[in-house]
Amino acid sequence: MTVILKNRLAQETSPYLQQHADNPVDWYPWGPEALAESKRSGKPILLSVGYSACHWCHVMAHESFEDAGVASVMNELFVNVKVDREERPDIDQIYQVAQQMLTQRTGGWPLTMFLTPEQLPFFGGTYFPKTARYGLPGFGDLLVRVREFYDANRTDIEEQNARLLDALSRTGPGTAGPTTEFTRAPLDESYRFLKSTFDPTDGGFGQAPKFPHPDSIELLLRRFAANGDRDALAMATFTLTKMAEGGLFDQLGGGFARYSVDDEWAIPHFEKMLYDNGWLLRLYADAWVATRDPVFERACRETVAWVLREMQSPEGGYYSSLDADSEGHEGKFYVWTPDEVRALLTEDEYAVVAPHYGLDRPPNFENHDWHFVTAQPLAKGAEALLAAARAKLFAAREKRIRPGRDDKVLTSWNALMIAGMARAARAFGLPEWLTSARKSLDFIRTTMWKDGALLATYKDGKAHLDAYLDDYAFLLAALLEVLQADFDSRDLAWATELGDVLLADFEDKSNGGFFFTAHGHEKLIHRPKPGHDNATPSGNGVAAQALIRLTFLTGDLRYQQAAERTLALYWPQMIRHPGGFGSLLGALEESLVPTRTVIVNGPAPDFGPWRALLDGAYLPTSVSLFLPDGAANLPAPLAKPVKGVNAWVCEGVTCLPPLDSPARLRETLGLPTIAPSA
């Protein structure tokens, strides 16, 4: 066999695809060439979906895709297609669901699917070892058996495909009824569900593996803001504290890993994703504003420090992720032994660090290493010693071989971090964080926004792939956060353009809701319309809430009507199973009690006390804007008379008379004089 020195993936922008450019596998990226070759040759398609920070993707690559013998079988029997799930979430969504239908097992990565030339899956799974183990067949043997099955059972496969297509068509939310009267019932039922699954010992919901579920925590914080429910606040803050003090949070370098493999948040799956950290940064900033708990401030400051240090490109965009592995081992970059730590510190420093980070306990990582957790509170007066020790340990860790970084820029994930940075900048009064957000926003505007449409991904000077629902919805929501931190009428104009594209190119005019792909997108075997929150929030939920808010900033009722059609479409599901619909439930709340808009206008130098009041308050269903004298091109709802500094409080479309002092604004909003304590 002739070894392929560089396959087609070498020309792709995805670092994940580029990782496989040296494989002896004759890989194709997803596209017309691969699909045409499958039809021409009659070979079925082997579709492999993963991402660059995925540990088991690396394992399968090393075992099978780098093996000449396995690659020879793959090349002989299949047209082999490699997909980065981060660049093509449309493809990943479809075949993850199909895999679950075919195997009755949960999905994940790597995803391994076998398709007909018509892109219809007939067999699949996730990770397969090279040789049989874990109760799984060896991959080489599996390839032969799958091809034999395909050649011998075409009629059965066609019948199965028809059933699968029908099942896929029924995975959507269905059709909205003619009228829907919204109530708080799904919000209340969701709260009961969260209480029933809450872990009172370690925080979080359910059992290991434990994911952060920021949508659920946000619902609890919003419930506290709405009615003062202290139990909701306690569940939210306890979970946030446990995550920030556990190994899910990088105690030396900041930033959160994807999830914890145990109930105690001690040992994570070590990859760090931009989307988790953007969403969690906004959530921790909100929690700090609501409670002033220093644990939440530290989580924000150290997460931002990590992002600025490691995740923002010189061009301005934020990178996508850090790998779980280094030197071929998951977590190796992050773990220690007591002897390693002791050798770097003074006796006094080690005496503080060992009990604080759990080095005086048995190893917590694979029975021989220690991953730092906040094992017990810091001794009083030991702050300086801990700070000195952390600086030494961090400097030593920086000399290790680093995990790989996926340096592509994704519009949707950048939008989540822009929103987190802008919210945290307001909460802590730190304009340099807003500067970071604006750098990313400017990068997207100049590089990813072309001819009135967004592109999804960028790397090495090339932006491409039509954007998805999440790109538009998340960016619209991010712009609304940036407008509250630093009003610019050009940002509001861009927000309205994004809203218009959502309505024109993504909305299902007949049934309500938004498709994940635009009307002119490449035709695939299914067109999802996702409503559940997953690792990232639901595009439908974020779009609905952002469009409701955009209505009250622009006066354009089309946005609210589209949001209400979306809520009506998902209403039956939210009534039956409200768990997992956090983003849509946030939109529901703001449709029941209209979004409150607080407009402060006048000379910008006089905004200080007004901004301190509004930015320092937890007001999750409010939008606060500071409009300086001379702000141009304002839509009617924002064009208020200017006389000194005034605040206008509008509930929906009804505005109160202007308020001429922060004290009167505080009283009108019902804010306490002193921030509450958790």
Side-chain angles (χ1 to χ4, degrees):
M1 185 193 79
T2 301
V3 176
I4 301 170
L5 298 179
K6 284 283 185 183
N7 58 48
R8 298 168 188 84
L9 302 186
Q11 307 304 314
E12 294 298 303
T13 58
S14 160
Y16 174 65
L17 298 189
Q18 291 175 358
Q19 287 172 3
H20 294 80
D22 296 323
N23 292 169
V25 178
D26 186 16
W27 287 116
Y28 289 79
W30 181 278
E33 184 184 4
L35 302 178
E37 175 59 20
S38 177
K39 289 182 178 180
R40 185 201 66 77
S41 65
K43 294 180 182 180
I45 295 167
L46 192 167
L47 174 66
S48 176
V49 183
Y51 60 103
S52 69
C54 165
H55 171 71
W56 287 103
C57 299
H58 298 324
V59 173
M60 191 166 179
H62 296 323
E63 288 180 345
S64 294
F65 303 150
E66 295 172 7
D67 182 271
V70 174
S72 177
V73 178
M74 292 172 66
N75 296 338
E76 179 183 352
L77 301 181
F78 298 95
V79 173
N80 303 292
V81 177
K82 183 56 90 167
V83 164
D84 182 343
R85 65 106 173 176
E86 296 168 359
E87 286 197 339
R88 294 302 304 262
D90 53 338
I91 293 170
D92 183 55
Q93 282 186 44
I94 291 168
Y95 292 109
Q96 290 286 351
V97 173
Q99 190 272 152
Q100 293 171 42
M101 289 178 171
L102 290 173
T103 67
Q104 301 300 302
R105 295 180 180 179
T106 57
W109 300 281
L111 179 67
T112 307
M113 297 297 289
F114 297 89
L115 319 180
T116 69
E118 295 73 35
Q119 307 171 39
L120 293 164
F122 61 91
F123 182 76
T126 52
Y127 162 78
F128 290 102
K130 180 182 174 183
T131 56
R133 65 179 186 276
Y134 310 131
L136 295 169
F139 191 54
D141 293 338
L142 178 72
L143 295 170
V144 174
R145 288 160 51 193
V146 169
R147 181 59 193 269
E148 289 174 347
F149 174 79
Y150 175 77
D151 290 339
N153 295 276
R154 298 292 181 86
T155 300
D156 291 343
I157 288 173
E158 288 176 5
E159 292 174 355
Q160 174 183 276
N161 287 342
R163 293 193 299 271
L164 180 70
L165 285 174
D166 179 63
L168 283 171
S169 71
R170 290 185 274 108
T171 58
T175 303
T179 59
T180 301
E181 291 190 15
F182 301 132
T183 69
R184 285 193 58 84
L187 288 159
D188 294 335
E189 183 57 36
S190 176
Y191 178 57
R192 285 190 285 270
F193 172 76
L194 291 175
K195 286 189 78 170
S196 70
T197 58
F198 177 68
D199 179 349
T201 303
D202 296 298
F205 307 94
Q207 297 177 321
K210 273 188 176 172
F211 289 81
H213 292 299
D215 56 312
S216 299
I217 301 171
E218 187 168 355
L219 277 178
L220 294 173
L221 288 177
R222 288 172 70 110
R223 185 178 182 90
F224 164 69
N227 62 16
D229 189 323
R230 305 297 296 190
D231 288 343
L233 179 65
M235 285 191 286
T237 55
F238 184 66
T239 299
L240 290 169
T241 299
K242 286 291 188 178
M243 292 194 306
E245 292 183 343
L248 187 78
F249 187 69
D250 181 351
Q251 299 295 331
L252 284 184
F256 289 87
R258 266 188 72 213
Y259 64 87
S260 171
V261 301
D262 55 72
D263 287 328
E264 296 81 23
W265 305 103
I267 303 301
H269 186 36
F270 283 89
E271 64 199 33
K272 290 183 186 177
M273 314 300 293
L274 184 70
Y275 61 77
D276 285 319
N277 285 278
W279 199 357
L280 287 170
L281 175 58
R282 181 169 61 85
L283 186 61
Y284 273 89
D286 280 342
W288 182 79
V289 167
T291 66
R292 296 300 194 270
D293 190 321
V295 171
F296 305 153
E297 178 177 3
R298 173 178 170 253
C300 288
R301 289 183 180 274
E302 295 186 10
T303 296
V304 170
W306 165 67
V307 172
L308 297 180
R309 185 179 66 244
E310 300 184 34
M311 300 302 288
Q312 189 157 32
S313 74
E315 296 171 286
Y318 297 115
Y319 299 133
S320 292
S321 64
L322 293 185
D323 207 328
D325 297 8
S326 56
E327 301 180 72
H329 298 281
E330 182 174 6
K332 185 172 183 179
F333 180 77
Y334 298 98
V335 299
W336 299 83
T337 65
D339 288 344
E340 287 177 312
V341 175
R342 187 181 283 109
L344 294 166
L345 305 181
T346 68
E347 237 179 86
D348 289 344
E349 289 166 349
Y350 186 79
V352 168
V353 164
H356 185 59
Y357 287 140
L359 297 175
D360 57 351
R361 301 181 180 189
N364 60 5
F365 183 68
E366 297 183 350
N367 297 316
H368 53 71
D369 287 309
W370 281 254
H371 179 52
F372 286 1
V373 299
T374 305
Q376 66 181 53
L378 187 64
K380 192 171 182 179
E383 292 83 5
L385 284 169
L386 180 65
R390 291 181 74 224
K392 292 176 181 178
L393 293 169
F394 178 78
R397 197 179 78 172
E398 286 291 282
K399 296 175 183 176
R400 295 177 175 178
I401 296 175
R402 302 185 60 82
R405 180 173 62 193
D406 188 318
D407 58 355
K408 69 178 178 294
V409 175
L410 296 171
T411 297
S412 59
W413 295 9
N414 268 247
L416 290 173
M417 184 54 74
I418 290 166
M421 282 284 190
R423 177 66 188 110
R426 282 198 296 134
F428 294 99
L430 292 171
E432 58 268 32
W433 295 2
L434 180 61
T435 298
S436 171
R438 278 217 168 274
K439 284 181 180 177
S440 174
L441 191 63
D442 291 345
F443 176 80
I444 292 174
R445 196 192 310 254
T446 57
T447 309
M448 318 287 275
W449 176 248
K450 299 295 182 184
D451 301 319
L454 284 170
L455 296 171
T457 185
Y458 168 91
K459 188 178 183 297
D460 296 336
K462 180 182 179 182
H464 70 127
L465 298 179
D466 293 338
Y468 309 99
L469 169 63
D470 289 1
D471 298 296
Y472 285 92
F474 296 178
L475 185 57
L476 172 56
L479 279 166
L480 296 180
E481 284 289 352
V482 171
L483 282 164
Q484 295 181 79
D486 178 27
F487 183 85
D488 186 325
S489 57
R490 292 171 298 179
D491 292 334
L492 182 56
W494 193 16
T496 60
E497 288 185 83
L498 294 173
D500 290 343
V501 175
L502 281 170
L503 268 56
D505 293 351
F506 289 86
E507 191 189 10
D508 182 344
K509 301 293 185 185
S510 301
N511 299 312
F514 297 91
F515 292 107
F516 187 72
T517 53
H519 299 322
H521 193 80
E522 170 192 356
K523 184 174 175 56
L524 302 172
I525 64 169
H526 178 56
R527 193 179 180 196
K529 196 192 290 183
H532 271 95
D533 297 304
N534 289 300
T536 54
S538 155
N540 269 280
V542 173
Q545 185 169 327
L547 289 169
I548 288 172
R549 294 181 167 199
L550 190 60
T551 297
F552 297 117
L553 301 188
T554 64
D556 191 334
L557 293 176
R558 294 179 305 135
Y559 304 134
Q560 183 171 9
Q561 291 161 356
E564 289 177 349
R565 288 192 293 269
T566 301
L567 290 171
L569 177 66
Y570 290 99
W571 179 255
Q573 290 186 350
M574 288 193 287
I575 284 287
R576 289 194 301 269
H577 306 292
F581 284 104
S583 297
L584 277 163
L585 290 175
L588 172 64
E589 183 179 27
E590 293 191 39
S591 72
L592 293 170
V593 180
T595 305
R596 178 170 54 198
T597 309
V598 183
I599 303 161
V600 180
N601 62 8
D606 298 334
F607 285 163
W610 303 79
R611 184 171 280 285
L613 171 65
L614 289 169
D615 290 350
Y618 180 53
L619 301 167
T621 58
S622 296
V623 175
S624 302
L625 299 177
F626 292 83
L627 310 182
D629 268 345
N633 303 316
L634 295 178
L638 304 184
K640 305 298 184 186
V642 178
K643 186 179 180 182
V645 180
N646 284 313
W648 307 74
V649 178
C650 304
E651 304 280 355
V653 296
T654 303
C655 297
L656 300 175
L659 305 169
D660 59 7
S661 73
R664 291 188 63 197
L665 177 59
R666 180 187 294 279
E667 182 181 359
T668 300
L669 297 179
L671 299 177
T673 303
I674 300 173
S677 177

